[in-house]
Amino acid sequence: MFIIIGIMLSGMLLGFLIRNKRLTWIHKVITSLIWLLLFLLGIDVGSNETIIKGLYSIGFEALIITLGAVVGSTLLAWALWYFINEPLTKKVRDER
């Protein structure tokens, strides 16, 4: 656990030290690493017999949780968007 926290803090320190440099390529590196981690996670899940044997029941529960998360995130994002932009819309209408 301390290793993970140390790695995170060292990354934050490095980011702080090079904050004025333009790192336009960093987003591509981060995206590639996330894809690699997802691929490796898929390999680990696919090689686990317990998960594969219980995929039907796990899959149904995962589908319900996923749908709930997507619907909840969408509704909350919409509400946040509405509450952030509504005062701006009222201000524009009042100026007219």
Side-chain angles (χ1 to χ4, degrees):
M1 186 64 150
F2 290 119
I3 294 173
I4 294 170
I5 293 171
I7 290 171
M8 185 185 305
L9 290 176
S10 64
M12 290 170 62
L13 176 65
L14 181 63
F16 178 76
L17 294 174
I18 62 171
R19 69 185 177 274
N20 295 328
K21 301 210 186 294
R22 254 182 98 87
L23 302 174
T24 57
W25 51 271
I26 197 74
H27 298 291
K28 291 180 182 179
V29 171
I30 291 171
T31 301
S32 299
L33 289 174
I34 290 172
W35 288 348
L36 177 65
L37 285 172
L38 288 171
F39 179 73
L40 293 174
L41 178 64
I43 290 174
D44 189 43
V45 168
S47 64
N48 190 332
E49 281 187 44
T50 306
I51 293 176
I52 296 301
K53 288 180 181 177
L55 197 56
Y56 177 75
S57 63
I58 292 172
F60 181 71
E61 292 172 10
L63 178 66
I64 297 299
I65 292 170
T66 301
L67 289 175
V70 168
V71 169
S73 296
T74 303
L75 288 175
L76 288 175
W78 175 82
L80 180 63
W81 180 264
Y82 177 79
F83 286 118
I84 288 174
N85 289 319
E86 185 61 24
L88 296 175
T89 307
K90 284 182 182 178
K91 185 177 180 182
V92 169
R93 276 189 245 143
D94 292 341
E95 289 176 358
R96 289 181 186 176

